[in-house]
Amino acid sequence: MATETTGETAEEPTPGCPDDLAYDVFARDCPSRDALRHITDRWGSLTLGALLDGTFRFNELRRRVAGVSEKMLAQTLHALERDGLVHRTAQQTNPPRVDYALTPLGDQIARQLRTLIALVEDRMPQVVQAREEYDAERTAD
């Protein structure tokens, strides 16, 4: 619904958009979707989980998050830094040193992720069994 103010027409904010401060991850254009994607994609969640153990240099973090390419880790760290979850500290040494650590917000989110990670790890026997049953049903046909 439009409102009239001094002869101009203002549009009502779209639900889930920053204009009304009611973020809704289920709304198509809500920026919270991008943040959630950065946090929950494969490398984002593993990177945040690893950083919960402390501050890491890039290659230390890359070794900790086994399987991530240099390019993907760099992209992931950039996105998480932009979202305010990771802090990058560059030291002017020779050779240059760059450290990555969680921000207070990143720490809060990483702790929740670590809880989810522990739950998944604890329930893996059930997941493996479900997969085996599913595969057996599909191959029996």
Side-chain angles (χ1 to χ4, degrees):
M1 173 181 217
T3 57
E4 297 276 331
T5 55
T6 63
E8 296 179 15
T9 304
E11 292 183 16
E12 187 174 85
T14 305
C17 292
D19 295 337
D20 65 3
L21 299 178
Y23 295 102
D24 179 3
V25 75
F26 296 105
R28 178 185 325 216
D29 296 323
C30 184
S32 63
R33 277 194 181 188
D34 282 337
L36 184 63
R37 182 175 49 86
H38 297 155
I39 292 164
T40 60
D41 76 6
R42 175 198 297 183
W43 304 121
S45 59
L46 293 174
T47 300
L48 288 168
L51 285 170
L52 195 55
D53 292 334
T55 300
F56 289 90
R57 293 175 75 174
F58 185 87
N59 284 325
E60 292 172 329
L61 190 55
R62 187 166 170 230
R63 284 189 295 276
R64 176 75 174 110
V65 183
V68 66
S69 70
E70 187 173 318
K71 178 182 176 181
M72 284 307 305
L73 182 57
Q75 289 175 352
T76 298
L77 287 166
H78 177 77
L80 295 173
E81 182 181 8
R82 183 170 181 255
D83 288 343
L85 307 177
V86 170
H87 180 71
R88 179 183 184 271
T89 303
Q91 299 176 16
Q92 301 301 324
T93 60
N94 192 8
R97 178 185 173 118
V98 179
D99 294 314
Y100 296 91
L102 293 173
T103 64
L105 176 60
D107 184 78
Q108 187 178 18
I109 290 171
R111 289 184 187 285
Q112 295 297 316
L113 278 171
R114 191 59 78 82
T115 300
L116 177 60
I117 289 167
L119 177 63
V120 170
E121 290 173 340
D122 288 346
R123 298 295 185 242
M124 277 310 296
Q126 293 165 276
V127 172
V128 169
Q129 180 180 351
R131 288 177 179 175
E132 289 170 353
E133 290 171 4
Y134 179 91
D135 292 346
E137 289 173 9
R138 299 306 177 273
T139 57
D141 293 337

